[in-house]
Amino acid sequence: MFFNNISRMFLVPKTNSPHINFIIGLHQPMRQGQTRYPFVVMQFDAEEDIELEINMPEEDLESMKLEKVMTGKTFNVVTKLFGTLVNKPIVVPGEFKSEKEEAGFSCTYKATSGYMFPLNRSLLFIVKPVIFIRFDEIISVEFSRTGVSTQNRFFAFSISTKNGQEYEFTNVDRAEFEPLSKYLASRDVKIKRLDEQDASAMYRASQLEEEGDDDDEEDEDFEDDGESDDDDESEEEDEGSN
């Protein structure tokens, strides 16, 4: 793998795991038989330390601002080397926070379970396959419920892109509907409006799951608040569509 073949790099945590994923995008995909691999994924133990001696002339080390011996967390040392040698920034999670205050959330693409990371300018799905979609490539995102029951815990969303490709991600916990839809709207991603009843039901269901069973009076107050939140969310979605 030549450094000039690297197009972009990402460093994201592996949700519910003590590991860090380093993803490298390639201009020219690697080949194994008839299969093309446009991304290479490395996984590091987040707590592993390393001491590495760099085999490079002193003048090159100075010009690149590298030390002869590098120590620290393995993922930090490796990504610093790649960032310096490739001379490209490494993208890390930005402002998005899931319902669990994490940088991403679990979902399924086709038959493969993985994790979606809404970054500042793009969406990144890992691990197999790695899917990278820039916000400015997206025509629209459409949300839908999975199944016919309002008690279903999951929803799906489909992404239409300018190059004609479409991606559908399923089995997303309904609690992630509000943070994801609001975040996409804040990034000016066009969101196809859910049926108002579906959106309201999905939002209220996620809140009820957190609150637990309340008495009738509390339920009535909650429903009033839920309708107000849905109105606010619709305004954000309209704003994101402009």
Side-chain angles (χ1 to χ4, degrees), residues 95 135 179-189 191 236-237 239-240:
E95 299 175 7
F135 289 149
L180 177 60
S181 60
K182 286 188 174 182
Y183 186 77
L184 292 176
S186 74
R187 290 297 186 265
D188 293 330
V189 174
I191 298 175
E236 288 199 43
E237 291 178 0
E239 181 180 352

Side-chain angles (χ1 to χ4, degrees), residues 61-195:
L61 290 172
E62 292 180 2
S63 66
M64 294 183 180
K65 298 181 180 180
L66 292 174
E67 299 175 357
K68 182 67 176 178
V69 178
M70 300 179 66
T71 60
K73 299 299 180 185
T74 303
F75 73 89
N76 276 331
V77 172
V78 172
T79 54
K80 182 177 181 179
L81 277 174
F82 268 88
T84 300
L85 296 173
V86 178
N87 195 27
K88 289 182 182 293
I90 296 174
V91 179
V92 297
E95 299 175 7
F96 174 82
K97 292 297 179 185
S98 72
E99 180 67 20
K100 298 178 181 179
E101 291 296 311
E102 296 176 340
F105 54 86
S106 63
C107 61
T108 300
Y109 177 71
K110 295 184 177 179
T112 305
S113 297
Y115 294 93
M116 176 66 72
F117 293 92
L119 306 174
N120 283 348
R121 298 181 181 180
S122 59
L123 295 172
L124 179 69
F125 175 81
I126 61 172
V127 175
K128 294 180 180 180
V130 175
I131 299 175
F132 170 70
I133 309 172
R134 296 202 316 264
F135 289 149
D136 60 10
E137 294 177 332
I138 296 176
I139 296 175
S140 64
V141 175
E142 182 173 8
F143 291 92
S144 61
R145 286 187 296 164
T146 303
V148 297
S149 171
T150 58
Q151 300 303 313
N152 199 303
R153 294 188 61 250
F154 303 100
F155 71 92
F157 64 99
S158 301
I159 300 174
S160 299
T161 64
K162 295 177 181 178
N163 63 10
Q165 288 187 292
E166 294 196 3
Y167 304 89
E168 183 181 31
F169 299 94
T170 60
N171 293 331
V172 187
D173 192 300
R174 66 189 177 199
E176 304 300 346
F177 171 71
E178 184 186 16
L180 177 60
S181 60
K182 286 188 174 182
Y183 186 77
L184 292 176
S186 74
R187 290 297 186 265
D188 293 330
V189 174
K190 181 178 180 180
I191 298 175
K192 285 189 176 180
R193 186 185 300 275
L194 272 173
D195 178 87

Side-chain angles (χ1 to χ4, degrees), residues 214-225:
D214 297 323
D215 57 33
D216 293 340
E217 181 178 353
E218 289 175 335
D219 285 344
E220 182 177 352
D221 291 339
F222 175 82
E223 289 179 1
D224 289 339
D225 291 341

